Amino acid sequence: MTEPGPGIEAPPAPDTEPVPVLAVVGRPNVGKSTLVNRLIGRRQAVVEDTPGVTRDRIPYDAQWNGRRFTVVDTGGWEPDAEGRAAAIAAQAEAAIASGDVIALVVDSTVGATDADLAAARVLQRTKKPVILVANKVDNTRTEADTADLWSLGLGQPFPVSALHGRGSGDLLDTILDVLPALPEANLEEEGGPRRVALIGRPNVGKSSLLNRLAKEDRVVVDAVAGTTVDPVDSLIELDGETWRFVDTAGLRKRAKQASGTEYYAALRTASAVESAEVAVVLLDSSEPISEQDQRVITQVIESGRALVIAFNKWDLVDDDRRFNLAKEIDRDLRRVTWAPRVNISAATGRSVAKLAPVLRTALSGWEKRIPTGELNQWISSLIAAHPHPIRGGKAPRVLFMTQAGIRPPTFVLFTSGRLDPQYIRYVERRLREDFGFEGSPIAISVKAREKRGKNARGGRR
């Protein structure tokens, strides 16, 4: 049997049909995320030798032998955990509650630990199908050691090597045998919800905001910066509409400058922004706007996504800070005056309901189109009132203007020569003043007409 692995099966296409859910749980560093990558057939879950890299419950689409299902990766699950470990364990328990089948992953090189026994007792009480996965069985010699795992009381252990793929095909066949045709839980159908990425530097409150919007502890929140590593997406009802919000890792450095978990987290965040339609950049309103904040905003602009700026922790802002913040906005956010802003507090819930209207505004600007006839009348009037400066004895003429696309709005100016960058910025500013495009970046390119004459066929020698 061909073992699944990166590139063997493409991710299934989005579908509105509900699919069964497999929850992958186990204590820290037994190879859950590596197994998830093997099951879904692509390297998507962040994997590192350090325990505790995965902290939230992360769903991934999977497909095997023509059947679709969802695999939920979880953080390390330990009984009697405290602090952040307890929050991570709570996410694993939430995955167990929502899963149709549970895969308990055990490290076969260590054998059954007290934590594994405690987890097995909890799973026996759920009355759900449980598959015991003995991971890190890299050869036939070590396969015999898995017999001791019968003591967990979960039936036959399935020996696999998530890293090398050994036995994973048989495991997938077993998973399909136990998965129901339809999930027992009522899952929300995807009706094309708009995709929103929550991004920002570490510890600005992205996970707290997602939990506030979801009205439950959907992701782990901790005072320690960098708690979120994998993007976590949730379908959330907000202002009478379903939205798909994605919580992302806090961005400290550019991906090429980061290393280890931080490097992969930066890549996942960039991918989440690319797959989103609108990005909400969270800033900590109680602290000065930083270079990191500026870099995050630049990333959204360069990705061509709609942009909303949310000043979080507004409950911590006093009159002095409000005065200084107004000056910082004028100085540091001058280039994105077109982005709608909202002042919120994820901790208290202040004004989070205002997110929906500003998201709709930004998406409307992102998808706005101007008819070609109206656009050319506008550019003709603009040039007549404010012509391009004369360079070298004459000024280039704008022959024609068209909107080449939306999402983001993209315009092309056909001219008789090059235009000064300052003049292109002037055209963009007037486009915004006269047509709006609030919440969206604008792309303008210039196509100068080639000169005809003696040099048209290669010129003189």
Side-chain angles (χ1 to χ4, degrees), residues 226-288:
T227 301
T228 302
V229 175
D230 294 279
V232 182
D233 68 300
S234 296
L235 290 174
I236 292 174
E237 188 78 19
L238 186 62
D239 195 24
E241 183 177 353
T242 300
W243 305 78
R244 182 178 293 279
F245 280 84
V246 182
D247 180 24
T248 63
L251 296 176
R252 291 183 179 86
K253 305 175 182 176
R254 296 176 178 87
K256 62 183 180 181
Q257 296 174 340
S259 61
T261 302
E262 194 172 13
Y263 169 77
Y264 291 105
L267 290 183
R268 299 295 191 275
T269 297
S271 177
V273 173
E274 290 293 337
S275 62
E277 297 172 281
V278 54
V280 177
V281 175
L282 266 74
L283 306 182
D284 186 340
S285 57
S286 65
E287 299 180 358

Side-chain angles (χ1 to χ4, degrees), residues 158-170:
F158 287 85
V160 301
S161 172
L163 182 61
H164 303 295
R166 185 177 187 273
S168 55
D170 292 333

Side-chain angles (χ1 to χ4, degrees), residues 168-348:
S168 55
D170 292 333
L171 175 61
L172 276 162
D173 290 337
T174 302
I175 290 170
L176 293 190
D177 288 341
V178 228
L179 282 174
L182 290 175
E184 296 175 4
N186 292 324
L187 297 179
E188 294 179 88
E189 293 188 6
E190 292 187 45
R194 309 309 295 263
R195 299 183 300 279
V196 185
L198 301 177
I199 67 172
R201 58 184 171 87
N203 222 28
V204 293
K206 299 181 294 297
S207 297
S208 296
L209 178 59
L210 183 63
N211 287 340
R212 171 66 63 177
L213 294 170
K215 298 182 175 64
E216 64 169 331
D217 291 337
R218 179 63 184 83
V219 288
V220 175
V221 175
D222 197 278
V224 177
T227 301
T228 302
V229 175
D230 294 279
V232 182
D233 68 300
S234 296
L235 290 174
I236 292 174
E237 188 78 19
L238 186 62
D239 195 24
E241 183 177 353
T242 300
W243 305 78
R244 182 178 293 279
F245 280 84
V246 182
D247 180 24
T248 63
L251 296 176
R252 291 183 179 86
K253 305 175 182 176
R254 296 176 178 87
K256 62 183 180 181
Q257 296 174 340
S259 61
T261 302
E262 194 172 13
Y263 169 77
Y264 291 105
L267 290 183
R268 299 295 191 275
T269 297
S271 177
V273 173
E274 290 293 337
S275 62
E277 297 172 281
V278 54
V280 177
V281 175
L282 266 74
L283 306 182
D284 186 340
S285 57
S286 65
E287 299 180 358
I289 297 173
S290 68
E291 181 184 348
Q292 288 173 293
D293 296 323
Q294 298 272 28
R295 192 160 60 241
V296 172
I297 292 172
T298 299
Q299 180 176 349
V300 176
I301 296 172
E302 291 178 348
S303 71
R305 298 304 178 258
L307 170 64
V308 169
I309 298 177
F311 288 91
N312 192 27
K313 306 184 183 181
W314 199 255
D315 53 308
L316 304 180
V317 175
D318 56 21
D319 290 340
D320 289 341
R321 175 59 193 148
R322 192 174 289 112
F323 174 76
N324 290 330
L325 181 58
K327 294 195 296 184
E328 290 171 18
I329 291 172
D330 289 341
R331 181 186 69 239
D332 300 329
L333 301 183
R334 182 175 300 174
R335 63 191 174 116
V336 287
T337 54
W338 45 265
R341 301 195 300 265
V342 59
N343 303 327
I344 63 172
S345 170
T348 66

Side-chain angles (χ1 to χ4, degrees), residues 1-11 22 33-43 61-67 69 71 159-176:
M1 176 180 294
T2 300
E3 298 293 357
I8 296 299
E9 290 199 34
L22 171 73
S33 295
T34 305
L35 179 64
V36 166
N37 284 339
R38 183 64 60 178
L39 295 177
I40 66 177
R42 57 195 185 275
R43 294 185 182 92
D61 293 327
Q63 183 172 293
W64 180 248
N65 283 348
R67 283 188 61 186
F69 58 100
V71 179
V160 301
S161 172
L163 182 61
H164 303 295
R166 185 177 187 273
S168 55
D170 292 333
L171 175 61
L172 276 162
D173 290 337
T174 302
I175 290 170
L176 293 190

